[in-house]
Amino acid sequence: MVEYKVTVFTADLAGAATFNNVFIKLVGTDGESDNTWLHSWTPSYFPGALDKQPLPLFPEDSWFPAKVEVKSPEGDDYYFPIYRWITDGEVHRFREATG
């Protein structure tokens, strides 16, 4: 199994963090990963298409992810700028770019 290091950054805005469950799936030319839960107890920073699901103890809330950085096992870095509010539990897809 190949492992990638994924880091998700939230914007430096009031209310930009989320307490909801967040999942990520990496898709590339050679295949795709399973949906992976990004777990962290720090609401403004998650180490690890984004999918946000509400936790039973917290109502669904908005989230403003700034970017996702992915490091391959070979040391290559990939950047996915987002810079938008996510206000639902739908799957969102983002392409690699600079930003």
Side-chain angles (χ1 to χ4, degrees):
M1 173 189 253
V2 178
E3 289 192 25
Y4 288 78
K5 180 180 179 186
V6 177
T7 307
V8 179
F9 298 87
T10 58
D12 188 17
L13 300 170
T18 184
F19 286 103
N20 294 145
N21 288 315
V22 175
F23 297 85
I24 191 166
K25 177 186 273 193
L26 300 177
V27 178
T29 56
D30 294 332
E32 60 186 52
S33 70
D34 293 331
N35 262 355
T36 303
W37 177 42
L38 301 179
H39 51 86
S40 171
W41 290 106
T42 306
S44 62
Y45 172 75
F46 292 94
L50 297 175
D51 180 15
K52 184 172 77 73
Q53 300 295 325
L55 289 171
L57 299 177
F58 299 97
E60 186 167 325
D61 59 358
S62 299
W63 179 42
F64 196 104
K67 62 183 175 178
V68 175
E69 293 181 359
V70 178
K71 182 177 277 301
S72 75
E74 296 81 22
D76 297 318
D77 293 315
Y78 302 94
Y79 303 97
F80 300 84
I82 301 172
Y83 299 102
R84 67 179 73 156
W85 285 102
I86 295 177
T87 60
D88 56 32
E90 300 298 315
V91 174
H92 296 265
R93 294 169 179 85
F94 302 99
R95 294 186 178 272
E96 181 188 8
T98 57

